[in-house]
Amino acid sequence: MSKEKRYKVKTLCPGEVSAPALITRERVSMLGNCDAEHGLFIDPKSDLKGKSFAGKALIFTSGKGSTLWSFFLNASRRYGKQPAAIINREIDSLVVWACVLCDIPMFQVTDDSIFDNVKDGDKVTFDSAKQEIVVG
């Protein structure tokens, strides 16, 4: 079994999390990249194409693009396909606002090594007492 990895986070939208990771270094846009009904990324240019964000701790650099984050997260929530949490390296106010509106936990991590050390499917848990996410 691999050793647990711990990352200090800033809580942007509180909540409890224990979910498998889905990770990319990309800046993520929901417009034209997401099928909210099925909880899938669909952009053929993205390394996330064909991957499900439903129930995942979605880890990416930052949001990209538009005000449609709220629309897509809310639509995915209506279908029961929303991410379990969003963890970003850089804060995008539109993503934060969407998470607040849709009650999706969101955290900011400042340690870039998360992109080298965490793999898709690794279990991500939020430790609220220590303001950390624990991976592994």
Side-chain angles (χ1 to χ4, degrees), residues 73-119:
L73 285 183
N74 189 47
S76 68
R77 183 179 65 163
R78 283 194 326 262
Y79 291 112
K81 302 293 183 179
Q82 75 276 12
I86 291 180
I87 302 163
N88 285 167
R89 170 68 179 88
E90 300 167 14
I91 296 174
D92 179 325
S93 61
L94 297 172
V95 180
V96 176
W97 181 242
C99 288
V100 169
L101 288 173
C102 297
D103 198 27
I104 295 172
M106 184 176 182
F107 310 98
Q108 179 189 26
V109 63
T110 57
D111 185 347
D112 283 331
S113 74
I114 194 167
F115 293 105
D116 297 319
N117 297 326
V118 178
K119 307 294 180 228

Side-chain angles (χ1 to χ4, degrees), residues 8-97:
K8 286 287 186 192
V9 294
K10 177 180 179 181
T11 301
L12 303 170
C13 185
E16 297 302 316
V17 178
S18 185
L22 178 59
I23 188 164
T24 182
R25 287 184 183 269
E26 293 179 7
R27 293 183 184 277
V28 174
S29 171
M30 298 308 257
L31 179 61
N33 191 28
C34 153
D35 174 348
E37 182 177 356
H38 298 100
L40 295 172
F41 286 103
I42 59 173
D43 181 354
K45 297 178 217 152
S46 172
D47 65 359
L48 294 172
K49 183 183 185 295
K51 294 182 180 181
S52 172
F53 56 80
K56 303 285 178 29
L58 184 54
I59 304 169
F60 55 101
T61 300
S62 182
K64 172 176 78 171
S66 71
T67 57
L68 291 175
W69 270 95
S70 296
F71 173 81
F72 279 103
L73 285 183
N74 189 47
S76 68
R77 183 179 65 163
R78 283 194 326 262
Y79 291 112
K81 302 293 183 179
Q82 75 276 12
I86 291 180
I87 302 163
N88 285 167
R89 170 68 179 88
E90 300 167 14
I91 296 174
D92 179 325
S93 61
L94 297 172
V95 180
V96 176
W97 181 242

Side-chain angles (χ1 to χ4, degrees), residues 6-9 126-134:
R6 294 179 173 268
Y7 299 91
K8 286 287 186 192
V9 294
F126 176 58
D127 182 339
S128 59
K130 295 182 179 178
Q131 290 294 296
E132 294 178 327
I133 53 170
V134 181

